[in-house]
Amino acid sequence: MRISHSTMAGLQLSTVGRLSELIPPRDYSNLNQQDCQLRVWLPDPAKQALEELCEINEMSMTAYLTEYFASYLFGHHEVMRMRANRSGLYEPESESRYCAIDPDGPEPEPEVAPNLGKNIFALKIWVPEKIKNGLRFQADRAGITLGEFSRSLICSHLFGCEFASAPFKGTTSLVDSIAREWEGPCDD
């Protein structure tokens, strides 16, 4: 993943030795390989917001969204540990560059014409396969397409949860009900 050297150096220095391994180890191998294409139609305000944030953070849109999706899937603490340890997303890339194509991989999503009234910006980024598969799994759980799920994540990240799509908002109530069941009745 490409992040400016000054940003990476500052982040690494400020976190080295300060973040503990608090959960069982996960396999973060190949997260530094941007080998799968992710296509999402975004509304213009989301495109503009992403461009502004990427400029402020001195990051490409691909790097910014890859880091955000990794935080969503693995947790912000874990992404910060990856930075500090130069592992996972931040593992230095090998000198050889290649394009991984899995002939037995998932079928590509069919091209769908955008709703020009809303989603007019065609975002195409390359992300690690583990991230795309993780997002696809969550989209399947929510009962929506990968593009809808990704758009909903991006818009809610940029503008708050009220900008998530309706099917995606419904998954929160499922998570909330599971959490309430686990927490038990309130005896205050």
Side-chain angles (χ1 to χ4, degrees):
M1 188 162 82
R2 294 182 190 101
I3 295 179
S4 72
H5 291 291
S6 61
T7 302
M8 188 64 198
L11 293 171
Q12 190 176 9
L13 285 176
S14 66
T15 56
V16 168
R18 297 179 65 189
L19 296 168
S20 304
E21 189 172 318
L22 301 172
I23 60 172
R26 293 180 182 152
D27 179 14
Y28 294 133
S29 61
N30 297 322
L31 277 179
N32 65 339
Q33 303 297 314
Q34 297 168 330
D35 52 2
C36 284
Q37 188 182 98
L38 179 64
R39 295 178 303 200
V40 182
W41 288 102
L42 292 176
D44 191 57
K47 172 194 172 239
Q48 191 172 345
L50 280 172
E51 288 173 344
E52 291 171 1
L53 290 175
C54 291
E55 184 178 331
I56 289 168
N57 289 297
E58 298 177 2
M59 296 173 79
S60 70
M61 206 174 286
T62 296
Y64 183 85
L65 288 173
T66 300
E67 189 174 276
Y68 167 65
F69 290 144
S71 291
Y72 174 79
L73 293 170
F74 306 118
H76 188 66
H77 185 269
E78 288 297 287
V79 170
M80 295 302 290
R81 277 185 6 86
M82 286 181 216
R83 273 187 190 168
N85 299 333
R86 295 188 54 86
S87 63
L89 285 177
Y90 305 99
E91 185 176 325
E93 293 182 27
S94 62
E95 291 299 315
S96 64
R97 304 284 294 195
Y98 66 93
C99 180
I101 299 174
D102 182 2
D104 299 322
E107 291 292 318
E109 291 187 38
E111 292 282 339
V112 178
N115 178 344
L116 295 177
K118 295 180 183 177
N119 303 313
I120 59 173
F121 174 65
L123 173 69
K124 186 186 299 186
I125 61 172
W126 290 88
V127 297
E129 183 177 9
K130 282 184 183 184
I131 289 180
K132 185 172 181 178
N133 289 341
L135 293 172
R136 184 184 312 277
F137 176 78
Q138 296 300 323
D140 290 346
R141 285 182 62 195
I144 57 178
T145 68
L146 176 59
E148 290 173 308
F149 185 79
S150 300
R151 178 174 42 258
S152 191
L153 278 180
I154 292 167
C155 290
S156 64
H157 169 68
L158 296 171
F159 305 119
C161 61
E162 68 188 76
F163 287 90
S165 66
F168 185 66
K169 285 183 190 178
T171 60
T172 308
S173 62
L174 172 63
V175 173
D176 288 345
S177 67
I178 293 169
R180 279 193 298 275
E181 183 180 316
W182 179 78
E183 290 170 346
C186 185
D187 295 323
D188 290 335

